[in-house]
């Protein structure tokens, strides 16, 4: 296993997925569903057939050719956190994907162990059909969790991550089929392979130092040359957990493109949706301006920029500070959590130990402290002026009951503000000499004696 | 307090000692529990029945859906006599979080351990924080503890409706009942719901239709409320399921008045919903029991429960093992062990020293040690205790008589105990030690709650300890636990407002720099006692020279999904399935769906992801690892 972990992909004659399939041999038979009768089928039908007629009805071709798409969801070395995050998504939500509930959205027939009505062989039947080539619509595969090195476990007759049994053993014996094997068998004919979450996209924590299962990412598993039937390499939606909406929106964007009305979704060089992961999380951080002004949180819970309590935001690709976690609520730094880089291929080992400031931040925080020491007083000065009505300036008094202690600006400050106002108004077209004929000559009573300050 | 199986005695001051004169007090062949039916007797019975009729089926349901994680259930079903003769619960997934944690800086534990399970997100992060704080002697400021309680109570607000409406609910829906129990459907159409004035469904048939997957009103409403509660969580944690705000010694949440107010407005919507939820899950058992008395036995097992308590008293919690019995009993949810319906103890040290984990039927080699003979107070520890346990993995072929799962077998005093969020109601009700509250009272035989006014008026409700714990009572208990947790959320929010009023702002004990300097060099042993959506959660930690040298997670689904123990006692899932009568209608054996088994299993809310994984090469164990886990070993 060690060899499979360290050798360069360039030297690999076969991908790890091919190695596993070569070892396991071809699939020759499937479940005899008759034999199982209704076992594991408590509603008498599979989930898709239970949808109401409106949802099942064919999508008029107005928007595009696709009526539905099967999505097989597999969990490898997974905590189910990506599934949980996905159920939290709202734009679109998982239920609207499943019902095809938006104009032009093909219905998604999801095969997900946490959601489906059917269990056992009835649950795995659709995946069998996909492998056999008899499924009634195109399919995509979503992997949550890392791929485990099942060759290592198989050598001693066991497995790391099983999902279902199939008659694929010697002489048609039932054997546990691993998530890795399902993914390897389904990949060649899939319309898209989508990795959700940092485990599936980059290996994540299961592949961190001490990695006992040979865990790796979907890209590592399928290799550089993998292309889906639509010619797409592995799509990666990282995050630990990912933002649910990042995932459902990516799926929807791909579907809109396939329907013909959406633009080609742009993916970056690592297969991430470029429009979601193109910026560092710091650039849209609600605390980013503290960095600019050179003020930093020193204790946990402080409201300022979190870089010095261990935040890696300035060098991490993520959009959680602008999108929030769920329904635009939350976000790590929004709430006070320093970024630990959970969307990144280097997570976690390039970010540990946690709660320690990134060494690279010393240079930039020193500079921003210097710049900030100049900017902050200037801003405070202008801010004071803007916190006053023009009327108060004229009257020389602030009527706020809360502001009894608030001093009036000093003579010097007033001169400065006037100078600043003159600068601001230079080039104001309101000073042009055109005759304002659309109003009365004199200002109405109570109006401003000096139009525009 | 006394142990029934283990030879442990207590003096008047509650100190435990081993009874003298027993050479190997923890030897599994010497110290045995009372076992109902042995494995040999069970096998012989099945053989007799198979010889008599051909209706005994051996079936493997893999995967079981609508649970979290990967699980299979094997049953031997006698379709003629309508009984499950045998059952095996199989955890089919491994990852290796404890292995990855070992050798690391203790500061990594919170964020790494969190990823053990993404279903109830923050629980592992918190348990890890408690273990670290206890090992390093860091006491969080009261507001830090309050924020943790607010987070974890809100998390239950997501977890309970998810289970009741997305996972278990469909088993009681129109789509299933009409297929598996068609004789019930006319009854359901005629049955007037006693709680119609609360939930609005006139007949049971209406209610069951609302439980239908994806389109049912209750299904959809449940999903929406999981989102609302998750919004409450991320106001404090930034992210869900894995929180970004848990630090050793508190939290890093920037707690402003806006945070508290936003939390408050969302919480305000929940109490109306809680009333509807309890009304639904009170009517469902009432209907099923009335329709067929045998439903009392669906998923039945004796009242043997364990729970380490949940949600600390912000002023009492001091992070020490020495005082754990005192601060433990001040938790909102009282720790405890109930055997045969009787509360034996509420002391965390008793819970700890009675705890052992076995691997007879799991893919591991035996590997107990005697590294720690006692805890830091001098109470004796078993070689099978998590602090002493190493686990030597040995993946291999499945054999029901030998090894068949990655789950290990935790037992307390060598007895089979169950974990669940409803166990919190049981312990707290029986112990009557909970902190004073205007909204919650433990009565000894139940819990009385005052539901605050929302759109509907204030109302008093009561949950009573059920006579028979079965699938319906687990679900009903979960609905009442939803209210319990949301009242803890309310009490904690009021505490937070109060501390805010006093000008209290500190949420963490230390700055990052102080934390770095506080990591000790000597050997430290600790445990973080916490809870999850399914009850019990512990992280046992050993650190030395400032790094983690042993880390063991034990989760509720490890307990519930456990296989046979060394004495042949089946784990809780297995036992519950074997007690379940087959009630579903079958015109012939091919129409057997096994819904009764599924109802039994799902009522536990199985959550299998937090399983550990270990490394072997070519059948040889190349690394010794310490393991324990959730769901799977």
């Amino acid at each position: 296993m060690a060899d499979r972990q360290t050798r360069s992909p360039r030297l690999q004659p076969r991908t790890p997925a091919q190695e596993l399939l070569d070892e396991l041999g071809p699939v020759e038979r499937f479940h005899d569903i008759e034999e199982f009768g209704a076992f594991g089928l408590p509603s008498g039908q599979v989930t898709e057939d239970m949808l109401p007629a409106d949802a099942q009805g064919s999508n008029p071709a107005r928007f595009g050719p696709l009526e539905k798409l099967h999505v097989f969801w597999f969990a490898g070395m997974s905590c189910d956190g990506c599934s949980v995050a996905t159920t939290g998504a709202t734009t679109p939500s998982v239920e609207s994907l499943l019902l095809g509930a938006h104009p032009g959205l093909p219905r998604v027939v999801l095969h997900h162990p946490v959601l489906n009505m059917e269990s056992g062989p009835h649950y795995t039947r659709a995946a069998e059909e996909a492998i056999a080539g008899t499924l009634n619509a195109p399919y995509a595969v979503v992997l949550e969790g890392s791929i485990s090195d099942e060759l290592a476990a198989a050598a001693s007759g066991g497995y790391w991550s099983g999902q279902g049994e199939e008659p694929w053993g010697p002489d048609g014996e039932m054997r546990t089929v691993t998530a890795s094997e399902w993914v390897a068998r389904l990949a060649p004919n899939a319309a898209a392979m989508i990795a959700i979450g940092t485990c599936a996209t980059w290996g994540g924590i299961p592949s961190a130092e001490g990695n006992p299962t040979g865990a790796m990412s979907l890209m590592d598993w399928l290799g550089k040359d993998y292309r889906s039937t639509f010619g797409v390499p592995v799509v990666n939606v990282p995050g630990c957990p990912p933002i649910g909406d990042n995932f459902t929106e990516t799926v929807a964007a791909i579907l809109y493109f396939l329907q013909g009305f959406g633009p080609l979704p742009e993916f970056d060089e690592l297969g991430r949706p470029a429009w979601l992961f193109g910026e560092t999380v710091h650039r849209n951080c609600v605390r980013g301006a503290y960095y600019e002004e050179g003020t930093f949180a020193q204790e946990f819970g402080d409201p300022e920029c979190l870089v010095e309590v261990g935040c890696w935001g300035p060098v991490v690709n993520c959009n959680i500070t602008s999108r929030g976690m769920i329904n635009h609520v939350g976000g790590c730094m929004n709430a006070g959590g320093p970024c630990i880089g959970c969307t990144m291929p280097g997570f976690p080992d390039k970010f540990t130990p946690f709660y320690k400031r990134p060494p690279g931040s010393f240079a930039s925080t020193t500079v921003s402290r210097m710049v900030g020491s100049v900017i902050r007083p200037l801003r405070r000065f202008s801010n004071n002026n803007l916190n006053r009505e023009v009327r108060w300036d004229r009257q020389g008094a602030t009527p706020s009951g809360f502001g009894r202690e608030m001093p009036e600006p000093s003579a010097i400050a007033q001169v400065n503000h006037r100078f600043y106002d003159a600068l601001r108004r230079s080039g104001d077209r309101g000073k042009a000499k055109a005759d304002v004929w659309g109003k009365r000559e004199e200002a109405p009573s109570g109006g401003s004696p000096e139009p525009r300050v | 307090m006394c142990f029934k199986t283990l030879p442990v005695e207590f003096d008047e001051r509650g100190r435990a000692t081993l009874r003298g004169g027993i050479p190997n007090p923890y030897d599994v062949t010497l110290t045995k529990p009372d076992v109902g039916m042995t494995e040999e007797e069970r096998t012989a019975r099945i053989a007799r029945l198979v010889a008599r009729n051909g209706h005994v089926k051996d079936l493997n349901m893999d995967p079981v859906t609508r649970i979290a994680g990967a699980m299979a259930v094997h049953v031997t079903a006698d379709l003629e006599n309508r009984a499950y003769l045998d059952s095996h619960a199989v955890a089919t997934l491994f990852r290796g979080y404890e292995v990855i944690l070992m050798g690391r800086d203790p500061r990594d534990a919170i964020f790494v351990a969190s990823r053990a399970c993404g279903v109830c997100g923050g629980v592992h992060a918190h348990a890890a924080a408690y273990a670290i704080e206890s090992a390093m002697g860091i006491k969080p400021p009261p507001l830090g503890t309050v924020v943790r309680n607010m987070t974890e109570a809100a998390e239950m607000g997501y977890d309970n409706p998810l289970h009741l409406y997305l996972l278990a609910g469909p088993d009681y829906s129109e789509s299933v009942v009409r297929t598996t129990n068609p004789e019930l459907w006319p009854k359901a159409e005629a049955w007037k719901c006693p709680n119609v004035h609360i939930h609005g469904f006139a007949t049971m048939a209406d209610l069951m239709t609302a439980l239908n997957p994806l389109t049912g009103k209750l299904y959809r409403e449940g999903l929406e409320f999981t989102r609302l509660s998750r919004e409450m969580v991320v106001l404090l944690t930034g992210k869900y399921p894995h929180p970004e705000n848990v630090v050793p010694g508190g939290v890093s949440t920037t707690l402003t008045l806006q945070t508290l107010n936003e939390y408050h407005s969302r919480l305000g919507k929940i109490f109306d919903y809680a009333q509807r939820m309890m009304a639904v899950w009170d009517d469902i058992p009432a209907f099923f029991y009335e329709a067929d008395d045998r439903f009392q036995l669906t998923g039945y097992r004796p009242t043997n429960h364990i729970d380490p308590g949940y949600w600390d008293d912000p002023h009492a919690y001091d992070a020490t093992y020495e005082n754990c019995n005192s601060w433990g009993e001040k938790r909102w949810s009282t720790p405890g062990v109930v055997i045969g319906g009787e509360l034996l103890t509420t002391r965390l040290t008793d819970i700890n020293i009675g705890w052992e984990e076995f691997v007879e039927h799991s893919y591991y080699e035996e590997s107990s040690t005697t590294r720690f003979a006692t805890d830091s107070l001098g109470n004796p520890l078993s070689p099978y205790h998590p602090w002493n346990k190493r686990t030597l993995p040995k993946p291999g072929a499945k054999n029901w008589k030998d090894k068949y799962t990655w789950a290990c077998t935790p037992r307390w005093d060598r007895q089979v105990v169950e974990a669940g969020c409803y166990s919190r109601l049981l312990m707290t009700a029986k112990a009557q030690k909970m902190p004073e509250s205007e909204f919650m009272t433990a009565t000894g035989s139940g819990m009385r709650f005052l539901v605050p006014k929302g759109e509907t008026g204030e109302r008093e409700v009561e949950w009573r300890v059920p006579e028979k714990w079965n699938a319906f009572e687990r679900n009903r208990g979960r609905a009442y636990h939803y209210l319990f947790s949301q009242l803890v959320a309310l009490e904690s929010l009021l505490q937070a407002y109060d501390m805010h009023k006093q000008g209290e702002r500190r949420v963490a004990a230390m700055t990052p720099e102080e934390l770095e300097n506080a990591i000790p060099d000597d050997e430290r042993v600790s445990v973080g006692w916490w809870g999850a959506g399914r009850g019990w959660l512990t992280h046992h930690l050993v650190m030395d020279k400032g790094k983690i040298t042993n880390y063991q997670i034990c989760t509720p689904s490890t307990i519930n999904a456990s296989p046979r123990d060394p004495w042949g006692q089946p784990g809780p899932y297995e036992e519950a399935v074997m007690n379940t009568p087959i009630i579903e209608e079958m015109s012939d054996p091919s129409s057997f769906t096994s819904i009764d088994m599924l109802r039994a299993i799902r009522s536990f809310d199985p959550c299998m992801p937090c399983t550990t994984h270990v490394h072997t090469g070519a059948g040889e164990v190349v690394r010794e690892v310490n393991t324990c886990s959730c769901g799977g070993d």
Side-chain angles (χ1 to χ4, degrees):
Chain A
M1 188 170 86
D3 171 48
R4 278 194 294 281
Q5 287 294 306
T6 51
R7 73 183 170 208
S8 157
R10 285 203 199 89
L11 300 176
Q12 270 176 226
R14 294 174 299 167
T15 65
Q18 283 161 348
E19 278 183 313
L20 179 71
L21 291 190
D22 289 350
E23 178 73 24
L24 294 171
V27 163
E28 274 155 11
R29 77 203 81 201
F30 295 105
H31 280 307
D32 178 4
I33 285 293
E34 294 295 309
E35 182 199 332
F36 283 92
F39 185 64
L41 200 62
S43 58
Q45 45 194 345
V46 295
T47 312
E48 185 190 358
D49 297 336
M50 295 171 65
L51 293 181
D54 279 346
Q56 284 195 49
S58 69
N59 197 5
R62 222 181 284 287
F63 282 98
L66 275 180
E67 184 202 320
K68 68 176 183 183
L69 177 80
H70 287 272
V71 170
F72 293 101
W73 187 294
F74 286 96
M77 311 273 94
S78 132
C79 72
D80 273 18
C82 301
S83 294
V84 166
T86 304
T87 61
T90 52
T91 53
S93 67
V94 68
E95 63 270 26
S96 45
L97 284 172
L98 266 52
L99 295 167
H102 297 290
L105 186 69
R107 185 157 53 83
V108 169
V109 185
L110 181 62
H111 302 275
H112 193 302
V114 175
L115 291 175
N116 277 40
M117 285 299 289
E118 63 276 10
S119 285
H122 286 286
Y123 175 74
T124 54
R125 187 170 60 185
E128 288 181 342
E129 288 173 0
I131 290 172
T134 57
L135 195 66
N136 58 14
Y139 68 88
V141 174
V142 175
L143 178 71
E144 162 183 14
S146 341
I147 291 283
S148 45
D149 188 350
E150 295 291 349
L151 273 178
S156 54
Y159 59 84
W160 301 121
S161 164
Q163 192 172 74
E165 280 191 329
E166 293 290 330
W168 297 348
D171 307 320
E173 249 174 63
M174 292 293 227
R175 69 167 166 81
T176 301
V177 178
T178 61
S180 307
E181 182 181 350
W182 281 117
V183 169
R185 292 198 191 280
L186 287 165
N189 293 317
M193 295 295 287
I194 307 176
I196 177 173
T198 297
C199 297
T201 53
W202 328 121
I205 286 193
S207 70
E209 192 182 325
N211 175 3
T213 57
M216 67 181 94
S217 73
L218 186 59
M219 285 202 310
D220 291 318
W221 177 242
L222 295 176
K224 191 177 176 20
D225 297 326
Y226 174 80
R227 297 290 180 276
S228 77
T229 54
F230 284 106
V232 187
V234 172
V235 170
N236 288 316
V237 184
C240 186
I243 298 168
D245 287 319
N246 278 352
F247 174 73
T248 57
E249 189 201 318
T250 301
V251 170
I254 295 172
L255 291 170
Y256 297 153
F257 167 68
L258 295 178
Q259 288 292 58
F261 67 86
L264 176 69
E266 200 184 320
F267 295 97
D268 70 11
E269 67 277 12
L270 293 179
R272 292 176 286 213
W275 71 101
L276 300 173
F277 290 92
E279 300 281 353
T280 66
V281 74
H282 182 65
R283 291 190 189 132
N284 287 310
C285 182
V286 292
R287 296 172 189 238
Y290 280 110
Y291 201 121
E292 182 197 23
E293 293 187 358
T295 47
F296 299 94
Q298 298 304 311
E299 287 185 32
F300 294 121
D302 282 350
E304 298 90 357
C305 173
L306 299 169
V307 163
E308 296 190 347
V309 298
C311 181
W312 288 79
V315 289
V316 165
N317 297 73
C318 176
N319 62 346
I320 199 166
T321 44
S322 56
R323 182 160 231 171
M325 183 63 210
I326 177 165
N327 276 335
H328 279 270
V329 183
C332 307
M333 288 68 94
N334 309 50
C339 173
I340 57 168
C342 78
T343 55
M344 299 297 278
F347 180 76
D349 286 337
K350 290 188 177 175
F351 297 92
T352 55
F354 300 119
Y355 314 114
K356 202 177 161 191
R357 66 179 292 181
S361 68
F362 282 97
S364 57
T365 58
T366 308
V367 173
S368 78
R369 275 203 165 90
M370 279 155 50
V371 177
S373 64
V374 179
I375 289 178
R376 265 179 288 132
L378 291 176
R379 286 185 175 166
R380 207 177 308 126
F381 183 71
S382 288
N383 178 246
N384 285 346
N385 185 38
L386 297 172
N387 262 322
R388 297 172 60 81
E389 289 181 11
V390 172
R391 182 188 181 97
W392 304 343
D393 285 338
R394 264 198 326 265
Q395 296 174 345
T398 308
S400 165
F402 288 105
R404 269 183 296 243
E405 304 301 321
M406 210 166 117
E408 290 301 310
S410 67
I412 298 172
Q414 287 188 34
V415 170
N416 279 326
H417 290 319
R418 234 170 262 143
F419 172 68
Y420 187 89
D421 282 343
L423 272 183
R424 177 174 59 81
R425 289 203 59 200
S426 65
D428 183 344
R429 305 301 298 224
K431 291 199 291 191
K433 291 219 161 47
D435 178 27
V436 183
W437 50 270
K439 63 169 192 175
R440 294 206 332 235
E441 274 302 298
E442 73 285 9
S445 70
S448 165
E450 295 174 66
R452 286 206 195 83
V453 175
Chain B
M1 165 65 207
C2 76
F3 283 138
K4 201 169 139 201
T5 316
L6 292 173
V8 173
E9 290 173 335
F10 290 83
D11 63 19
E12 310 84 67
R13 285 167 50 233
R15 285 271 310 270
T17 43
L18 281 173
R19 203 177 300 138
I22 302 171
N24 292 310
Y26 289 103
D27 190 317
V28 295
T29 59
L30 297 176
T31 307
K32 301 183 199 174
D34 301 330
V35 178
M37 183 187 270
T38 66
E39 215 39 33
E40 291 74 43
E41 289 165 350
R42 190 173 292 116
T43 312
R45 175 167 167 245
I46 294 171
R48 269 200 316 278
L49 285 163
V50 170
R52 258 212 325 259
N53 77 58
H55 292 288
V56 176
K57 273 195 169 192
D58 205 53
L59 291 159
N60 198 16
M61 191 173 286
D62 182 4
V64 175
T65 57
R66 275 185 288 122
I67 60 156
M71 180 189 174
V73 176
H74 163 257
V75 288
T76 306
D78 181 344
L79 299 186
E80 191 165 280
N81 295 311
R82 296 187 157 266
Y84 291 105
L85 304 174
D86 202 356
S87 166
H88 296 92
V90 184
T92 62
L93 169 70
F94 286 81
R95 288 175 305 155
Y97 275 61
E98 289 131 326
V99 183
I100 290 165
L101 271 167
M102 243 164 280
R104 279 181 187 264
D105 189 301
R107 284 175 291 178
D108 294 358
I110 291 173
F111 288 136
V112 171
S114 178
R115 272 75 186 173
C117 185
V119 177
C120 38
V123 299
H124 286 280
H126 284 90
Y130 285 105
I132 294 169
E133 284 162 11
S134 177
M136 293 173 47
I138 313 173
K139 179 189 169 188
L143 189 56
T145 300
V146 168
V147 171
R148 287 180 178 178
N149 289 348
M150 285 169 66
T151 305
E152 292 287 85
E155 199 165 306
M156 298 301 112
Y158 136 85
D159 208 286
N160 293 157
L162 183 85
H163 176 262
L164 286 173
Y165 293 114
L166 271 69
L167 307 182
D171 286 342
Y172 306 91
S173 69
E174 175 262 352
S175 60
V176 166
V177 171
R178 285 179 82 162
T179 310
T180 58
N181 308 83
E183 76 287 354
L184 292 188
W185 187 248
K187 288 185 194 171
E189 286 180 310
W191 201 80
K192 301 264 180 293
C193 291
N195 283 322
V196 55
H197 60 291
I198 302 168
H199 56 53
F201 300 104
T203 67
M204 183 49 61
D206 294 339
L207 194 158
M208 286 174 165
T209 307
L211 287 171
N212 276 345
L214 274 182
T215 52
K217 183 170 175 283
L218 286 169
Y219 185 99
R220 294 289 284 271
E221 190 183 45
L223 189 52
E224 280 303 327
F225 272 89
T226 70
R227 290 177 182 145
L228 181 74
S229 290
R230 280 183 271 187
E231 288 177 20
M232 289 165 66
V233 177
V234 300
L235 285 170
L236 305 169
T237 67
K239 217 162 50 162
Y240 195 89
H242 302 305
E244 202 58 38
N245 71 323
V246 185
V247 302
V251 296
S252 67
T253 309
T254 305
L255 200 69
T256 66
L257 190 57
Q258 182 187 332
T259 321
L260 298 179
N261 291 340
E262 284 204 41
Y263 186 93
H264 184 212
S265 353
R266 287 177 173 84
L267 179 61
K269 296 181 196 165
I270 280 178
F271 294 108
D272 292 324
Y273 181 60
Q275 292 212 25
R276 296 201 289 281
M277 184 189 282
M278 291 179 292
V280 165
W281 293 95
D282 274 334
D283 280 352
I284 290 172
F287 169 77
F288 276 87
Y289 295 166
E290 194 183 304
D292 192 331
D293 200 36
R294 289 175 300 168
F295 282 115
Q296 295 266 12
L297 289 171
T298 302
Y300 164 76
R301 57 180 303 282
T303 310
N304 299 340
H305 290 245
I306 195 160
D307 195 84
Y310 204 23
W311 304 303
D312 281 293
D313 179 327
H315 300 290
Y317 171 65
D318 69 358
T320 64
Y321 187 81
E322 286 66 34
N323 299 330
C324 70
N325 291 336
S326 148
W327 56 255
E329 286 176 351
K330 294 199 174 79
R331 289 182 152 184
W332 283 112
S333 163
T334 317
V337 182
V338 166
I339 301 284
E342 211 175 305
L343 181 70
L344 298 185
T345 182
T346 56
R347 303 193 327 159
L348 283 169
T349 52
D350 296 345
I351 293 174
N352 193 37
I353 63 171
W355 200 242
E356 296 174 290
E357 286 175 30
F358 303 97
V359 295
E360 261 69 7
H361 293 281
S362 320
Y363 300 129
Y364 299 96
E365 285 183 82
E366 186 50 64
S367 66
S368 53
T369 74
T370 50
R371 191 179 174 90
F372 300 102
T374 67
D375 65 10
S376 60
L377 302 173
N379 299 307
L381 291 175
S382 161
Y384 301 98
H385 187 276
W387 281 327
N388 279 325
K389 203 188 142 216
R390 296 172 306 148
T391 305
L392 305 180
K394 196 181 178 186
K398 185 167 60 190
N399 180 344
W400 302 131
K401 298 288 166 226
D402 187 13
K403 292 178 185 285
Y404 58 86
T405 178
W406 282 106
C408 69
T409 310
R411 294 287 184 262
W412 186 83
D413 190 22
R414 311 209 157 170
Q415 304 187 63
V416 188
V417 285
E418 172 179 343
C421 64
Y422 38 77
S423 309
R424 291 189 191 118
L425 297 173
L426 176 67
M427 302 304 161
T428 311
K430 291 247 170 203
Q432 292 186 273
K433 287 180 178 171
M434 79 177 308
E436 219 170 287
S437 164
E438 279 192 62
F439 306 100
M440 302 173 267
T441 324
T443 65
S445 59
M447 293 283 293
R448 204 174 297 135
F449 299 110
L450 185 78
V451 194
K453 181 193 168 305
E455 280 184 34
T456 43
E458 187 175 285
R459 197 165 70 96
E460 205 177 275
V461 296
E462 188 171 357
W463 173 86
R464 276 176 242 272
V465 176
E467 277 170 38
K468 266 190 158 55
W469 283 90
N470 56 32
F472 295 91
E473 297 305 334
R474 287 190 192 95
N475 291 337
R476 189 209 303 265
R478 195 166 286 115
Y480 279 82
H481 174 267
Y482 178 71
L483 174 65
F484 182 22
S485 63
Q486 299 313 293
L487 289 172
V488 170
L490 178 62
E491 287 280 15
S492 304
L493 175 67
L494 294 175
Q495 286 174 338
Y497 272 128
D498 195 50
M499 288 177 190
H500 217 80
K501 246 190 287 185
Q502 316 291 334
E504 175 68 56
R505 294 288 187 280
R506 268 179 79 228
V507 288
M510 290 182 171
T511 66
E513 224 174 289
E514 290 165 344
L515 176 66
E516 183 155 5
N517 299 329
I519 299 173
D521 274 330
D522 52 337
E523 186 175 65
R524 302 282 175 98
V525 177
S526 72
V527 49
W529 282 291
W530 198 234
R534 293 115 196 109
W536 172 286
L537 180 63
T538 51
H539 286 202
H540 283 82
L541 165 73
V542 184
M543 55 191 266
D544 192 15
K545 303 208 167 48
K547 73 181 202 179
I548 299 169
T549 53
N550 189 3
Y551 203 94
Q552 301 234 8
I553 299 171
C554 191
T555 68
S557 297
T558 312
I559 300 173
N560 293 340
S562 63
R564 306 292 200 272
D565 59 24
W567 312 281
Q569 302 181 101
Y573 291 170
E574 299 178 338
E575 184 182 6
V577 170
M578 284 188 252
N579 285 333
T580 298
I582 297 175
I583 306 170
E584 66 174 286
E585 197 175 276
M586 275 179 286
S587 46
D588 63 274
S590 78
S591 62
F592 171 60
T593 67
S594 209
I595 182 68
D596 297 293
M597 170 200 99
L598 289 169
R599 283 183 183 139
I601 291 278
R602 288 201 184 107
S603 69
F604 287 91
D605 191 4
C607 177
M608 315 303 284
C610 16
T611 312
T612 62
H613 303 260
V614 286
H615 171 192
T616 67
E620 262 176 76
V621 175
V622 296
R623 189 201 307 245
E624 289 182 357
V625 293
N626 299 272
T627 316
C628 157
S629 74
C630 135
D633 153 342

